[in-house]
Amino acid sequence: MEIIPGHGVAMVKVGEARADVEGRIGVPVHGPGGAKAVHSTTPMLVISYTPDDTVELVELAYDGQGGEEVFFDGVQLTFRFLDDVVADLLAKGYTSVPSDIGFDFHAGFSVWSMHSLCAQDLDPDATEDDERAVSEGVSVAPFSYFSQA
């Protein structure tokens, strides 16, 4: 699935009404009516809503099971080593600032790791003490969303 920096993805965009989103992709499997809604898509889609039920943030999780991963500008963003993702994006001219869990890109997205995966999940030759972070998710919103945190 391809992200649209600052906006979301083709099926849901920042600023859309919950009713429009759910009319298009269905009721979430977790969190119907709540501030966060989890949709059983591939990759998994998590939508954060403002109190007036408009999309504030679109998040996508890694698949890791041979299904669809998240991409932008020809770069696979999920289920890769986080440093490799950042290096590939930097080589294409995209700039970022580090966050406590990853990197926030000025273009309007963030790549991150909650460290639920380890280097051995990607590299069978990695040792147990290999500390390379695996990119587990992407958050999409205008950069101002990330810079206010």
Side-chain angles (χ1 to χ4, degrees), residues 3-22:
I3 67 165
I4 305 165
H7 298 284
V9 294
M11 69 174 68
V12 60
K13 294 181 181 63
V14 171
E16 286 188 299
R18 181 191 301 263
D20 293 338
V21 171
E22 291 182 359

Side-chain angles (χ1 to χ4, degrees), residues 65-78:
Q65 303 297 317
E68 189 174 357
E69 296 298 339
V70 182
F71 289 84
F72 171 60
D73 196 9
V75 176
Q76 182 176 327
L77 303 178
T78 54

Side-chain angles (χ1 to χ4, degrees), residues 82-83 85-91 93-99 102-111 143 146:
L82 189 59
D83 289 343
V85 171
V86 173
D88 286 353
L89 291 167
L90 182 61
Y94 298 103
T95 58
S96 67
V97 293
S99 72
F103 293 85
D104 300 334
F105 283 81
H106 296 101
F109 65 97
S110 177
V111 292
F143 180 72
F146 305 108

